[in-house]
Amino acid sequence: MMNNGSESKIIDGRKLAKKIEREVKEDADQLRAQGVIPCLASILVGDDAASKLYISLKHRACDRAGILAKDYHLPSETSQGELTELIERLNQDDEVHAILVQLPLPESINEQEVMETIDPSKDADGFHPFNMGRLLIGNEGLVPCTPRGIIRALDEYQVNVEGKHAVVVGHSNVVGKPMAAMLLNRNATVSVCHVYTQDLNKFTSQADILIVATGVKHLIREDMVKEGSIIFDVGITEENGKIYGDVDYENVIERASLITPVPGGVGPVTVSILLEHVIKACRSSIKN
């Protein structure tokens, strides 16, 4: 049971997501008044239960924010060529402003090739090498949604990252690498750890800002974090119908100054940033 002091430490992802959604809805209403309907096309290949849930959550968020969501659900036996053909068709469709391909894809499909097929200007997830490259040189346009959401949360809670030691645990293209780049763009001192890192505790215990994205239940324990640190838990592990994060939340919260819960932390913000990207892509298409 958390006391009021603990509650004041929680980064409320649901509350922040609602705020971002309201901002997106205002933008969407303005665009609709100009005769433009912001549109996201989502593609789901196969019947993975978690992927179907994520698509459903994203579509409901689109509905709340005034964004048109087009759903393309393809069978699991869809070929690389068939998926590429659909993406190229959506690339050419002026009424579609952003494209999302839900991952993971069936093993028969090359995910990287799929990401590279999406028009960079319609890249809702920010995974295209062009957008990743722009991020690396400090030109942040359409970038991966989870790290962008974490930056938004840091801004919202008035955390200045400049000069802080930020430790990122996990070096995926989805979270770890782009997160490190965004923090470097804001003049943090960044350490990136991963499965091959020796003595993880040495790094995490020095972190002013700790971001963990491994999918390993309770990898980060109380003795591994610095007093007063700010912690973002991106990991999700399901066990016996219950969701756990990468951080031993109940114990670590006593040492943190700010921390995200799982669920209700980073996840909702990630979805709301996706909506922001649809608006950004839509406005960019109007200018062009």
Side-chain angles (χ1 to χ4, degrees), residues 188-248:
T189 299
V190 182
S191 298
V192 180
C193 303
H194 41 74
V195 68
Y196 299 106
T197 298
Q198 297 179 14
D199 193 6
L200 180 62
N201 181 59
K202 181 177 75 172
F203 294 91
T204 60
S205 61
Q206 295 176 12
D208 301 308
I209 301 168
L210 178 61
I211 297 152
V212 194
T214 66
V216 178
K217 175 189 171 186
H218 291 179
L219 173 68
I220 304 300
R221 305 179 306 274
E222 181 182 8
D223 63 338
M224 296 175 67
V225 301
K226 180 179 178 181
E227 186 77 37
S229 57
I230 297 164
I231 302 172
F232 289 87
D233 188 349
V234 184
I236 292 180
T237 302
E238 185 175 354
E239 199 173 274
N240 298 322
K242 189 174 179 182
I243 300 295
Y244 298 92
D246 289 357
V247 177
D248 182 6

Tab-separated table of all heavy atoms in Angstrom, residues 188-248:
chain	number	residue	atom	x	y	z
A	188	ALA	N	22.314	15.420	-22.265
A	188	ALA	CA	22.520	14.506	-21.143
A	188	ALA	C	23.807	13.726	-21.395
A	188	ALA	O	24.289	13.627	-22.522
A	188	ALA	CB	21.345	13.545	-21.014
A	189	THR	N	24.376	13.197	-20.323
A	189	THR	CA	25.469	12.231	-20.433
A	189	THR	C	24.828	10.847	-20.414
A	189	THR	O	24.120	10.512	-19.462
A	189	THR	CB	26.447	12.373	-19.259
A	189	THR	OG1	27.003	13.683	-19.287
A	189	THR	CG2	27.555	11.343	-19.346
A	190	VAL	N	25.036	10.067	-21.468
A	190	VAL	CA	24.235	8.854	-21.674
A	190	VAL	C	25.092	7.588	-21.636
A	190	VAL	O	26.121	7.507	-22.311
A	190	VAL	CB	23.465	8.921	-23.017
A	190	VAL	CG1	22.606	7.681	-23.208
A	190	VAL	CG2	22.612	10.184	-23.079
A	191	SER	N	24.646	6.619	-20.855
A	191	SER	CA	25.209	5.268	-20.885
A	191	SER	C	24.122	4.323	-21.396
A	191	SER	O	22.971	4.418	-20.964
A	191	SER	CB	25.640	4.813	-19.489
A	191	SER	OG	26.653	5.651	-18.966
A	192	VAL	N	24.485	3.443	-22.312
A	192	VAL	CA	23.532	2.462	-22.841
A	192	VAL	C	23.993	1.070	-22.420
A	192	VAL	O	25.107	0.648	-22.733
A	192	VAL	CB	23.419	2.549	-24.375
A	192	VAL	CG1	22.417	1.511	-24.889
A	192	VAL	CG2	23.003	3.949	-24.807
A	193	CYS	N	23.120	0.359	-21.715
A	193	CYS	CA	23.419	-0.994	-21.243
A	193	CYS	C	22.512	-1.992	-21.966
A	193	CYS	O	21.476	-1.617	-22.514
A	193	CYS	CB	23.194	-1.095	-19.730
A	193	CYS	SG	24.164	0.089	-18.764
A	194	HIS	N	22.927	-3.260	-21.930
A	194	HIS	CA	22.170	-4.295	-22.636
A	194	HIS	C	22.526	-5.648	-22.062
A	194	HIS	O	23.217	-5.735	-21.026
A	194	HIS	CB	22.447	-4.226	-24.136
A	194	HIS	CG	23.879	-3.985	-24.477
A	194	HIS	ND1	24.841	-4.952	-24.355
A	194	HIS	CD2	24.512	-2.857	-24.891
A	194	HIS	CE1	26.008	-4.456	-24.697
A	194	HIS	NE2	25.851	-3.179	-25.013
A	195	VAL	N	22.092	-6.694	-22.722
A	195	VAL	CA	22.248	-8.041	-22.181
A	195	VAL	C	23.715	-8.434	-21.987
A	195	VAL	O	24.049	-9.271	-21.152
A	195	VAL	CB	21.514	-9.067	-23.083
A	195	VAL	CG1	22.202	-9.203	-24.428
A	195	VAL	CG2	21.373	-10.417	-22.405
A	196	TYR	N	24.624	-7.807	-22.732
A	196	TYR	CA	26.043	-8.145	-22.631
A	196	TYR	C	26.806	-7.247	-21.645
A	196	TYR	O	28.005	-7.430	-21.445
A	196	TYR	CB	26.704	-8.065	-24.012
A	196	TYR	CG	26.097	-9.030	-25.002
A	196	TYR	CD1	25.261	-8.585	-26.010
A	196	TYR	CD2	26.350	-10.397	-24.909
A	196	TYR	CE1	24.687	-9.474	-26.923
A	196	TYR	CE2	25.794	-11.296	-25.806
A	196	TYR	CZ	24.957	-10.822	-26.811
A	196	TYR	OH	24.403	-11.710	-27.688
A	197	THR	N	26.118	-6.285	-21.059
A	197	THR	CA	26.777	-5.389	-20.107
A	197	THR	C	27.193	-6.153	-18.853
A	197	THR	O	26.384	-6.877	-18.264
A	197	THR	CB	25.836	-4.229	-19.720
A	197	THR	OG1	25.522	-3.474	-20.893
A	197	THR	CG2	26.481	-3.320	-18.688
A	198	GLN	N	28.425	-5.948	-18.448
A	198	GLN	CA	28.915	-6.566	-17.217
A	198	GLN	C	28.707	-5.603	-16.053
A	198	GLN	O	28.939	-4.408	-16.183
A	198	GLN	CB	30.404	-6.926	-17.359
A	198	GLN	CG	30.660	-7.959	-18.439
A	198	GLN	CD	32.135	-8.301	-18.584
A	198	GLN	OE1	32.946	-7.973	-17.730
A	198	GLN	NE2	32.473	-8.975	-19.677
A	199	ASP	N	28.255	-6.132	-14.927
A	199	ASP	CA	28.018	-5.347	-13.720
A	199	ASP	C	27.014	-4.209	-13.991
A	199	ASP	O	27.338	-3.025	-13.877
A	199	ASP	CB	29.319	-4.784	-13.167
A	199	ASP	CG	29.161	-4.242	-11.752
A	199	ASP	OD1	28.064	-4.412	-11.166
A	199	ASP	OD2	30.114	-3.643	-11.231
A	200	LEU	N	25.796	-4.616	-14.362
A	200	LEU	CA	24.742	-3.647	-14.655
A	200	LEU	C	24.516	-2.686	-13.491
A	200	LEU	O	24.278	-1.490	-13.689
A	200	LEU	CB	23.437	-4.396	-14.985
A	200	LEU	CG	22.211	-3.560	-15.312
A	200	LEU	CD1	22.434	-2.713	-16.556
A	200	LEU	CD2	20.981	-4.466	-15.486
A	201	ASN	N	24.606	-3.193	-12.298
A	201	ASN	CA	24.374	-2.392	-11.094
A	201	ASN	C	25.285	-1.169	-11.036
A	201	ASN	O	24.895	-0.106	-10.553
A	201	ASN	CB	24.574	-3.267	-9.855
A	201	ASN	CG	24.327	-2.523	-8.571
A	201	ASN	OD1	23.240	-2.004	-8.363
A	201	ASN	ND2	25.329	-2.465	-7.705
A	202	LYS	N	26.516	-1.307	-11.533
A	202	LYS	CA	27.472	-0.195	-11.517
A	202	LYS	C	26.919	1.003	-12.293
A	202	LYS	O	27.126	2.158	-11.904
A	202	LYS	CB	28.803	-0.643	-12.130
A	202	LYS	CG	29.882	0.431	-12.131
A	202	LYS	CD	31.187	-0.102	-12.681
A	202	LYS	CE	31.144	-0.245	-14.186
A	202	LYS	NZ	32.478	-0.591	-14.760
A	203	PHE	N	26.200	0.720	-13.388
A	203	PHE	CA	25.643	1.783	-14.215
A	203	PHE	C	24.331	2.314	-13.636
A	203	PHE	O	24.140	3.532	-13.502
A	203	PHE	CB	25.431	1.285	-15.645
A	203	PHE	CG	26.697	0.972	-16.369
A	203	PHE	CD1	27.237	-0.299	-16.344
A	203	PHE	CD2	27.363	1.954	-17.078
A	203	PHE	CE1	28.417	-0.602	-17.010
A	203	PHE	CE2	28.550	1.671	-17.759
A	203	PHE	CZ	29.074	0.392	-17.715
A	204	THR	N	23.416	1.401	-13.331
A	204	THR	CA	22.085	1.850	-12.886
A	204	THR	C	22.154	2.626	-11.572
A	204	THR	O	21.374	3.557	-11.356
A	204	THR	CB	21.140	0.651	-12.717
A	204	THR	OG1	21.672	-0.251	-11.736
A	204	THR	CG2	20.948	-0.083	-14.036
A	205	SER	N	23.088	2.278	-10.707
A	205	SER	CA	23.194	2.951	-9.408
A	205	SER	C	23.754	4.360	-9.522
A	205	SER	O	23.717	5.130	-8.563
A	205	SER	CB	24.057	2.126	-8.448
A	205	SER	OG	25.373	1.974	-8.948
A	206	GLN	N	24.272	4.709	-10.717
A	206	GLN	CA	24.785	6.062	-10.947
A	206	GLN	C	23.789	6.942	-11.704
A	206	GLN	O	24.042	8.126	-11.927
A	206	GLN	CB	26.085	5.997	-11.761
A	206	GLN	CG	27.237	5.309	-11.050
A	206	GLN	CD	28.454	5.188	-11.953
A	206	GLN	OE1	28.527	5.802	-13.012
A	206	GLN	NE2	29.414	4.379	-11.529
A	207	ALA	N	22.662	6.371	-12.104
A	207	ALA	CA	21.751	7.071	-13.015
A	207	ALA	C	20.910	8.122	-12.303
A	207	ALA	O	20.218	7.827	-11.326
A	207	ALA	CB	20.835	6.066	-13.700
A	208	ASP	N	20.953	9.346	-12.827
A	208	ASP	CA	19.992	10.368	-12.412
A	208	ASP	C	18.638	10.075	-13.061
A	208	ASP	O	17.586	10.279	-12.454
A	208	ASP	CB	20.468	11.765	-12.830
A	208	ASP	CG	21.820	12.131	-12.247
A	208	ASP	OD1	21.972	12.004	-11.016
A	208	ASP	OD2	22.709	12.516	-13.019
A	209	ILE	N	18.710	9.621	-14.315
A	209	ILE	CA	17.520	9.223	-15.068
A	209	ILE	C	17.757	7.809	-15.572
A	209	ILE	O	18.759	7.543	-16.247
A	209	ILE	CB	17.256	10.180	-16.253
A	209	ILE	CG1	17.067	11.615	-15.755
A	209	ILE	CG2	16.051	9.718	-17.069
A	209	ILE	CD1	17.101	12.651	-16.870
A	210	LEU	N	16.866	6.895	-15.240
A	210	LEU	CA	17.014	5.485	-15.613
A	210	LEU	C	15.826	5.063	-16.467
A	210	LEU	O	14.673	5.195	-16.050
A	210	LEU	CB	17.100	4.619	-14.351
A	210	LEU	CG	17.219	3.104	-14.541
A	210	LEU	CD1	18.483	2.744	-15.308
A	210	LEU	CD2	17.177	2.393	-13.188
A	211	ILE	N	16.121	4.554	-17.662
A	211	ILE	CA	15.078	4.107	-18.585
A	211	ILE	C	15.345	2.637	-18.897
A	211	ILE	O	16.431	2.291	-19.383
A	211	ILE	CB	15.075	4.950	-19.867
A	211	ILE	CG1	14.740	6.409	-19.517
A	211	ILE	CG2	14.085	4.405	-20.886
A	211	ILE	CD1	15.319	7.416	-20.441
A	212	VAL	N	14.384	1.781	-18.598
A	212	VAL	CA	14.593	0.337	-18.700
A	212	VAL	C	13.593	-0.254	-19.687
A	212	VAL	O	12.381	-0.093	-19.523
A	212	VAL	CB	14.446	-0.348	-17.329
A	212	VAL	CG1	15.006	-1.761	-17.395
A	212	VAL	CG2	15.142	0.441	-16.229
A	213	ALA	N	14.116	-0.942	-20.706
A	213	ALA	CA	13.250	-1.511	-21.749
A	213	ALA	C	13.814	-2.859	-22.176
A	213	ALA	O	14.419	-2.993	-23.233
A	213	ALA	CB	13.162	-0.563	-22.938
A	214	THR	N	13.619	-3.880	-21.325
A	214	THR	CA	14.180	-5.199	-21.619
A	214	THR	C	13.140	-6.307	-21.689
A	214	THR	O	13.368	-7.325	-22.324
A	214	THR	CB	15.205	-5.599	-20.531
A	214	THR	OG1	14.525	-5.784	-19.282
A	214	THR	CG2	16.289	-4.553	-20.385
A	215	GLY	N	12.004	-6.139	-21.018
A	215	GLY	CA	11.031	-7.215	-20.943
A	215	GLY	C	11.427	-8.308	-19.970
A	215	GLY	O	10.935	-9.433	-20.058
A	216	VAL	N	12.313	-7.978	-19.028
A	216	VAL	CA	12.731	-8.928	-17.988
A	216	VAL	C	12.087	-8.506	-16.667
A	216	VAL	O	12.400	-7.443	-16.126
A	216	VAL	CB	14.262	-8.971	-17.845
A	216	VAL	CG1	14.660	-9.932	-16.722
A	216	VAL	CG2	14.910	-9.372	-19.164
A	217	LYS	N	11.195	-9.315	-16.171
A	217	LYS	CA	10.444	-8.974	-14.962
A	217	LYS	C	11.376	-8.642	-13.795
A	217	LYS	O	12.266	-9.405	-13.444
A	217	LYS	CB	9.531	-10.146	-14.577
A	217	LYS	CG	8.789	-9.947	-13.261
A	217	LYS	CD	8.076	-11.229	-12.838
A	217	LYS	CE	7.520	-11.104	-11.428
A	217	LYS	NZ	6.948	-12.375	-10.941
A	218	HIS	N	11.149	-7.439	-13.226
A	218	HIS	CA	11.843	-6.984	-12.013
A	218	HIS	C	13.363	-7.108	-12.117
A	218	HIS	O	14.040	-7.444	-11.141
A	218	HIS	CB	11.319	-7.742	-10.791
A	218	HIS	CG	9.914	-7.373	-10.437
A	218	HIS	ND1	9.237	-7.945	-9.395
A	218	HIS	CD2	9.040	-6.498	-11.009
A	218	HIS	CE1	8.012	-7.428	-9.314
A	218	HIS	NE2	7.874	-6.546	-10.298
A	219	LEU	N	13.887	-6.806	-13.292
A	219	LEU	CA	15.340	-6.784	-13.484
A	219	LEU	C	16.002	-5.765	-12.549
A	219	LEU	O	17.080	-6.009	-12.002
A	219	LEU	CB	15.659	-6.426	-14.944
A	219	LEU	CG	17.127	-6.204	-15.295
A	219	LEU	CD1	17.892	-7.517	-15.206
A	219	LEU	CD2	17.247	-5.596	-16.694
A	220	ILE	N	15.317	-4.626	-12.380
A	220	ILE	CA	15.882	-3.538	-11.575
A	220	ILE	C	15.302	-3.593	-10.166
A	220	ILE	O	14.103	-3.421	-9.962
A	220	ILE	CB	15.585	-2.169	-12.216
A	220	ILE	CG1	16.108	-2.124	-13.660
A	220	ILE	CG2	16.201	-1.050	-11.382
A	220	ILE	CD1	17.595	-2.338	-13.814
A	221	ARG	N	16.195	-3.838	-9.200
A	221	ARG	CA	15.798	-3.939	-7.799
A	221	ARG	C	16.150	-2.655	-7.038
A	221	ARG	O	16.873	-1.790	-7.549
A	221	ARG	CB	16.498	-5.130	-7.142
A	221	ARG	CG	16.273	-6.464	-7.853
A	221	ARG	CD	17.030	-7.584	-7.147
A	221	ARG	NE	18.446	-7.263	-6.985
A	221	ARG	CZ	19.384	-7.500	-7.910
A	221	ARG	NH1	19.047	-8.020	-9.083
A	221	ARG	NH2	20.649	-7.198	-7.673
A	222	GLU	N	15.660	-2.583	-5.834
A	222	GLU	CA	15.852	-1.387	-5.011
A	222	GLU	C	17.320	-1.031	-4.838
A	222	GLU	O	17.712	0.138	-4.882
A	222	GLU	CB	15.201	-1.616	-3.643
A	222	GLU	CG	15.301	-0.434	-2.700
A	222	GLU	CD	14.684	-0.749	-1.343
A	222	GLU	OE1	14.323	-1.933	-1.112
A	222	GLU	OE2	14.584	0.172	-0.527
A	223	ASP	N	18.173	-2.037	-4.668
A	223	ASP	CA	19.599	-1.774	-4.419
A	223	ASP	C	20.357	-1.358	-5.673
A	223	ASP	O	21.554	-1.064	-5.618
A	223	ASP	CB	20.266	-3.006	-3.796
A	223	ASP	CG	20.243	-4.225	-4.717
A	223	ASP	OD1	19.382	-4.267	-5.616
A	223	ASP	OD2	21.088	-5.114	-4.537
A	224	MET	N	19.657	-1.318	-6.827
A	224	MET	CA	20.310	-0.974	-8.086
A	224	MET	C	20.045	0.457	-8.533
A	224	MET	O	20.498	0.866	-9.600
A	224	MET	CB	19.848	-1.944	-9.187
A	224	MET	CG	20.255	-3.385	-8.939
A	224	MET	SD	19.585	-4.533	-10.175
A	224	MET	CE	20.452	-4.024	-11.657
A	225	VAL	N	19.294	1.215	-7.729
A	225	VAL	CA	18.943	2.570	-8.153
A	225	VAL	C	19.461	3.608	-7.157
A	225	VAL	O	19.596	3.341	-5.964
A	225	VAL	CB	17.420	2.735	-8.348
A	225	VAL	CG1	16.905	1.764	-9.383
A	225	VAL	CG2	16.671	2.586	-7.050
A	226	LYS	N	19.722	4.759	-7.691
A	226	LYS	CA	20.242	5.879	-6.918
A	226	LYS	C	19.092	6.581	-6.193
A	226	LYS	O	17.992	6.734	-6.744
A	226	LYS	CB	20.935	6.843	-7.891
A	226	LYS	CG	21.538	8.087	-7.292
A	226	LYS	CD	22.185	8.888	-8.427
A	226	LYS	CE	22.782	10.188	-7.925
A	226	LYS	NZ	23.393	10.952	-9.054
A	227	GLU	N	19.329	7.012	-4.980
A	227	GLU	CA	18.328	7.774	-4.231
A	227	GLU	C	17.970	9.040	-5.000
A	227	GLU	O	18.844	9.787	-5.439
A	227	GLU	CB	18.893	8.152	-2.857
A	227	GLU	CG	17.894	8.829	-1.942
A	227	GLU	CD	16.907	7.842	-1.322
A	227	GLU	OE1	17.321	6.701	-0.997
A	227	GLU	OE2	15.741	8.225	-1.171
A	228	GLY	N	16.664	9.269	-5.207
A	228	GLY	CA	16.208	10.472	-5.896
A	228	GLY	C	16.209	10.384	-7.409
A	228	GLY	O	15.984	11.389	-8.092
A	229	SER	N	16.447	9.199	-7.944
A	229	SER	CA	16.497	9.056	-9.399
A	229	SER	C	15.102	9.111	-10.020
A	229	SER	O	14.083	8.953	-9.337
A	229	SER	CB	17.188	7.743	-9.786
A	229	SER	OG	16.515	6.641	-9.196
A	230	ILE	N	15.085	9.322	-11.334
A	230	ILE	CA	13.845	9.369	-12.115
A	230	ILE	C	13.835	8.127	-13.004
A	230	ILE	O	14.785	7.900	-13.757
A	230	ILE	CB	13.781	10.656	-12.955
A	230	ILE	CG1	13.758	11.879	-12.030
A	230	ILE	CG2	12.574	10.640	-13.887
A	230	ILE	CD1	14.071	13.179	-12.729
A	231	ILE	N	12.766	7.337	-12.909
A	231	ILE	CA	12.777	6.014	-13.535
A	231	ILE	C	11.584	5.835	-14.475
A	231	ILE	O	10.430	6.058	-14.092
A	231	ILE	CB	12.756	4.916	-12.454
A	231	ILE	CG1	13.970	5.073	-11.522
A	231	ILE	CG2	12.738	3.528	-13.088
A	231	ILE	CD1	13.948	4.178	-10.312
A	232	PHE	N	11.902	5.412	-15.703
A	232	PHE	CA	10.876	5.074	-16.687
A	232	PHE	C	10.970	3.582	-16.984
A	232	PHE	O	12.004	3.099	-17.441
A	232	PHE	CB	11.072	5.871	-17.979
A	232	PHE	CG	10.745	7.330	-17.843
A	232	PHE	CD1	11.708	8.232	-17.418
A	232	PHE	CD2	9.468	7.800	-18.123
A	232	PHE	CE1	11.410	9.577	-17.281
A	232	PHE	CE2	9.161	9.143	-17.992
A	232	PHE	CZ	10.129	10.039	-17.568
A	233	ASP	N	9.886	2.875	-16.723
A	233	ASP	CA	9.824	1.426	-16.914
A	233	ASP	C	9.023	1.132	-18.179
A	233	ASP	O	7.805	1.310	-18.213
A	233	ASP	CB	9.160	0.787	-15.685
A	233	ASP	CG	9.231	-0.729	-15.702
A	233	ASP	OD1	9.594	-1.303	-16.742
A	233	ASP	OD2	8.911	-1.334	-14.659
A	234	VAL	N	9.717	0.697	-19.223
A	234	VAL	CA	9.082	0.450	-20.515
A	234	VAL	C	8.712	-1.018	-20.688
A	234	VAL	O	7.895	-1.380	-21.518
A	234	VAL	CB	10.016	0.902	-21.666
A	234	VAL	CG1	9.345	0.756	-23.021
A	234	VAL	CG2	10.456	2.355	-21.458
A	235	GLY	N	9.306	-1.894	-19.877
A	235	GLY	CA	9.121	-3.327	-20.067
A	235	GLY	C	7.768	-3.837	-19.610
A	235	GLY	O	7.159	-3.294	-18.693
A	236	ILE	N	7.318	-4.881	-20.279
A	236	ILE	CA	6.057	-5.542	-19.896
A	236	ILE	C	6.269	-7.050	-19.918
A	236	ILE	O	6.758	-7.605	-20.900
A	236	ILE	CB	4.905	-5.180	-20.859
A	236	ILE	CG1	4.529	-3.704	-20.718
A	236	ILE	CG2	3.689	-6.051	-20.596
A	236	ILE	CD1	3.409	-3.274	-21.635
A	237	THR	N	5.926	-7.695	-18.820
A	237	THR	CA	5.934	-9.155	-18.739
A	237	THR	C	4.593	-9.600	-18.176
A	237	THR	O	4.144	-9.067	-17.153
A	237	THR	CB	7.058	-9.654	-17.804
A	237	THR	OG1	8.314	-9.185	-18.289
A	237	THR	CG2	7.069	-11.177	-17.744
A	238	GLU	N	3.939	-10.543	-18.857
A	238	GLU	CA	2.667	-11.074	-18.357
A	238	GLU	C	2.919	-12.425	-17.707
A	238	GLU	O	3.570	-13.302	-18.273
A	238	GLU	CB	1.653	-11.218	-19.484
A	238	GLU	CG	0.280	-11.651	-18.976
A	238	GLU	CD	-0.775	-11.683	-20.057
A	238	GLU	OE1	-0.491	-11.269	-21.193
A	238	GLU	OE2	-1.896	-12.149	-19.756
A	239	GLU	N	2.403	-12.559	-16.492
A	239	GLU	CA	2.612	-13.793	-15.735
A	239	GLU	C	1.344	-14.107	-14.950
A	239	GLU	O	0.917	-13.315	-14.112
A	239	GLU	CB	3.800	-13.592	-14.781
A	239	GLU	CG	4.429	-14.865	-14.276
A	239	GLU	CD	5.687	-14.580	-13.472
A	239	GLU	OE1	6.765	-14.450	-14.075
A	239	GLU	OE2	5.579	-14.460	-12.231
A	240	ASN	N	0.736	-15.233	-15.251
A	240	ASN	CA	-0.503	-15.648	-14.577
A	240	ASN	C	-1.582	-14.559	-14.618
A	240	ASN	O	-2.269	-14.304	-13.635
A	240	ASN	CB	-0.207	-16.030	-13.120
A	240	ASN	CG	0.748	-17.201	-13.021
A	240	ASN	OD1	0.674	-18.128	-13.811
A	240	ASN	ND2	1.654	-17.149	-12.049
A	241	GLY	N	-1.690	-13.929	-15.789
A	241	GLY	CA	-2.728	-12.934	-15.983
A	241	GLY	C	-2.435	-11.568	-15.386
A	241	GLY	O	-3.271	-10.669	-15.449
A	242	LYS	N	-1.246	-11.371	-14.830
A	242	LYS	CA	-0.875	-10.088	-14.231
A	242	LYS	C	0.292	-9.486	-15.003
A	242	LYS	O	1.153	-10.206	-15.510
A	242	LYS	CB	-0.499	-10.275	-12.765
A	242	LYS	CG	-0.301	-8.970	-12.013
A	242	LYS	CD	-0.060	-9.199	-10.526
A	242	LYS	CE	0.150	-7.867	-9.807
A	242	LYS	NZ	0.442	-8.038	-8.366
A	243	ILE	N	0.305	-8.153	-15.091
A	243	ILE	CA	1.333	-7.446	-15.829
A	243	ILE	C	2.411	-6.935	-14.870
A	243	ILE	O	2.107	-6.315	-13.842
A	243	ILE	CB	0.735	-6.255	-16.606
A	243	ILE	CG1	-0.323	-6.735	-17.612
A	243	ILE	CG2	1.829	-5.465	-17.318
A	243	ILE	CD1	0.222	-7.602	-18.712
A	244	TYR	N	3.662	-7.191	-15.229
A	244	TYR	CA	4.801	-6.711	-14.445
A	244	TYR	C	5.716	-5.873	-15.336
A	244	TYR	O	5.786	-6.078	-16.547
A	244	TYR	CB	5.605	-7.885	-13.879
A	244	TYR	CG	4.829	-8.765	-12.929
A	244	TYR	CD1	4.142	-9.889	-13.405
A	244	TYR	CD2	4.788	-8.496	-11.568
A	244	TYR	CE1	3.434	-10.715	-12.542
A	244	TYR	CE2	4.090	-9.317	-10.694
A	244	TYR	CZ	3.411	-10.423	-11.189
A	244	TYR	OH	2.717	-11.232	-10.328
A	245	GLY	N	6.455	-4.965	-14.721
A	245	GLY	CA	7.444	-4.189	-15.438
A	245	GLY	C	8.842	-4.724	-15.229
A	245	GLY	O	9.059	-5.740	-14.564
A	246	ASP	N	9.816	-4.020	-15.796
A	246	ASP	CA	11.221	-4.377	-15.619
A	246	ASP	C	11.749	-3.945	-14.250
A	246	ASP	O	12.823	-4.363	-13.840
A	246	ASP	CB	12.072	-3.689	-16.687
A	246	ASP	CG	11.866	-4.281	-18.066
A	246	ASP	OD1	11.111	-5.258	-18.205
A	246	ASP	OD2	12.467	-3.752	-19.032
A	247	VAL	N	10.999	-3.074	-13.585
A	247	VAL	CA	11.421	-2.503	-12.309
A	247	VAL	C	10.563	-3.077	-11.182
A	247	VAL	O	9.338	-3.181	-11.317
A	247	VAL	CB	11.294	-0.958	-12.337
A	247	VAL	CG1	11.660	-0.349	-10.988
A	247	VAL	CG2	12.168	-0.365	-13.443
A	248	ASP	N	11.203	-3.431	-10.091
A	248	ASP	CA	10.492	-3.894	-8.889
A	248	ASP	C	9.845	-2.673	-8.236
A	248	ASP	O	10.327	-2.130	-7.244
A	248	ASP	CB	11.465	-4.584	-7.937
A	248	ASP	CG	10.776	-5.133	-6.691
A	248	ASP	OD1	9.535	-5.081	-6.615
A	248	ASP	OD2	11.495	-5.589	-5.785
